[in-house]
């Protein structure tokens, strides 16, 4: 049985663009047995399409300009404290958080990455899968550390790559599985805290 019913943990979701993972995190957070609640959305991109999901659900959102990152991260940490955020979830956030930020937050930061880590850290994962003729690909939810895409794996889900797959079809399949995987991984992670 899920713990913490009625006492959901506050999470912040960081995005940069489309925000389809954010959309499903919001939807899934409203399920009764969900252990988390999306309380804050942060985007480094004022034009991120995903911001519409925050607006629609009346979730506070904050746009950060990454010009002076030191100053900005200090402000961001204050905001996160104000919202009593227990876990930060990166969902297509295209900026790298500094070691300083990660250490100062001092609580878990999760990321969803569209590959079967430790394979294919960084960008262009689908292209790499296709080039190497891998039979499987998938997505990984992992803890964020200062080392890119290298933190402890929380949950992973794989799919078969078919001969007819191209970058677009692979991205579509993986994105679909991510929409379910991310919430499951967060709930699993929180239930083990
Ligand atoms: C996802 O594929 C995620 O794995 C990666 O960036 C993409 C974000 O998609 N980190 P969206 O913005 O959530 O639609």
């Amino acid at each position: 049985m899920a713990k913490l019913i009625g006492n959901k943990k506050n999470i912040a979701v960081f995005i940069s663009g489309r925000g389809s993972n954010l959309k499903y995190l919001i939807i899934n957070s409203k399920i009764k047995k969900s252990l988390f609640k999306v309380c804050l959305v942060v985007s480094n991109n004022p034009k991120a399409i995903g911001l519409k999901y925050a607006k629609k659900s009346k979730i506070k959102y904050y746009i950060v300009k990454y010009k002076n990152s030191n100053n900005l991260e200090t402000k961001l940490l204050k905001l996160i404290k104000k919202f009593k955020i227990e876990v930060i979830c990166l969902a297509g956030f295209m900026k790298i958080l500094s070691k300083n930020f990660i250490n100062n937050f001092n609580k878990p930061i999760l990321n969803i990455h569209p590959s079967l880590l430790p394979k294919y850290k960084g960008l262009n994962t689908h292209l790499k899968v296709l080039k190497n003729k891998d039979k499987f690909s998938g997505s990984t939810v992992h803890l964020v550390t200062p080392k890119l895409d290298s933190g402890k794996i929380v949950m992973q889900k794989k799919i078969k790559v078919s001969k007819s797959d191209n970058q677009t079809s692979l991205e579509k399949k993986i994105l679909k599985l991510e929409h379910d995987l991310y919430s499951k991984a967060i709930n699993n992670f929180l239930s083990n805290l």
Side-chain angles (χ1 to χ4, degrees):
M1 239 245 313
K3 291 184 236 163
L4 300 167
I5 290 176
N7 186 19
K8 299 185 180 191
K9 296 267 186 195
N10 293 353
I11 70 161
V13 183
F14 284 25
I15 63 165
S16 293
R18 183 178 49 199
S20 68
N21 277 290
L22 167 66
K23 175 183 171 187
Y24 283 91
L25 286 177
I26 296 173
I27 293 174
N28 293 333
S29 72
K30 291 178 180 162
I31 297 170
K32 206 175 166 196
K33 66 175 189 194
S34 161
L35 301 181
F36 65 90
K37 184 178 170 199
V38 183
C39 293
L40 178 68
V41 172
V42 171
S43 171
N44 65 307
N45 171 12
K47 291 189 179 141
I49 294 173
L51 286 170
K52 72 176 177 197
Y53 303 117
K55 291 177 192 163
K56 209 175 143 199
S57 292
K58 299 197 169 38
I59 295 169
K60 287 266 185 300
Y61 63 91
Y62 187 76
I63 293 159
V64 292
K65 287 195 193 104
Y66 253 81
K67 274 188 184 143
N68 176 351
S69 45
N70 267 345
N71 206 339
L72 169 109
E73 289 192 342
T74 313
K75 272 193 196 162
L76 205 50
L77 281 166
K78 272 193 190 152
L79 189 78
I80 277 158
K81 215 169 175 191
K82 186 176 151 199
F83 279 84
K84 297 190 167 51
I85 299 300
E86 295 293 334
V87 182
I88 293 175
C89 298
L90 310 182
F93 186 62
M94 299 305 283
K95 292 280 175 192
I96 294 178
L97 295 171
S98 74
K99 191 176 172 179
N100 198 33
F101 181 89
I102 297 170
N103 291 340
N104 279 326
F105 177 52
N106 203 22
K107 285 184 178 155
I109 304 178
L110 298 175
N111 180 41
I112 187 157
H113 180 78
S115 82
L116 294 173
L117 288 173
K119 265 191 155 181
Y120 313 133
K121 296 169 183 171
L123 298 173
N124 301 318
T125 55
H126 308 311
L127 191 67
K128 291 172 190 163
V129 165
L130 292 168
K131 262 193 178 162
N132 289 336
K133 299 194 173 18
D134 288 356
K135 291 209 166 65
F136 295 95
S137 187
S139 181
T140 307
V141 175
H142 65 94
L143 275 161
V144 172
T145 64
K147 211 170 162 205
L148 185 73
D149 299 331
S150 299
K152 190 172 172 255
I153 292 173
V154 173
M155 205 177 264
Q156 204 164 49
K157 200 167 176 187
K158 66 177 175 181
I159 49 139
K160 248 187 163 170
V161 180
S162 63
K163 286 205 175 102
S164 58
D165 269 325
N166 54 35
Q167 273 199 81
T168 315
S169 66
L170 206 50
E171 188 197 341
K172 209 171 155 190
K173 278 194 214 169
I174 290 174
L175 201 59
K176 193 163 178 248
L177 81 82
E178 289 188 327
H179 294 156
D180 181 49
L181 173 71
Y182 211 178
S183 302
K184 272 195 185 145
I186 298 169
N187 279 324
N188 188 277
F189 181 77
L190 290 175
S191 70
N192 287 314
L193 273 188

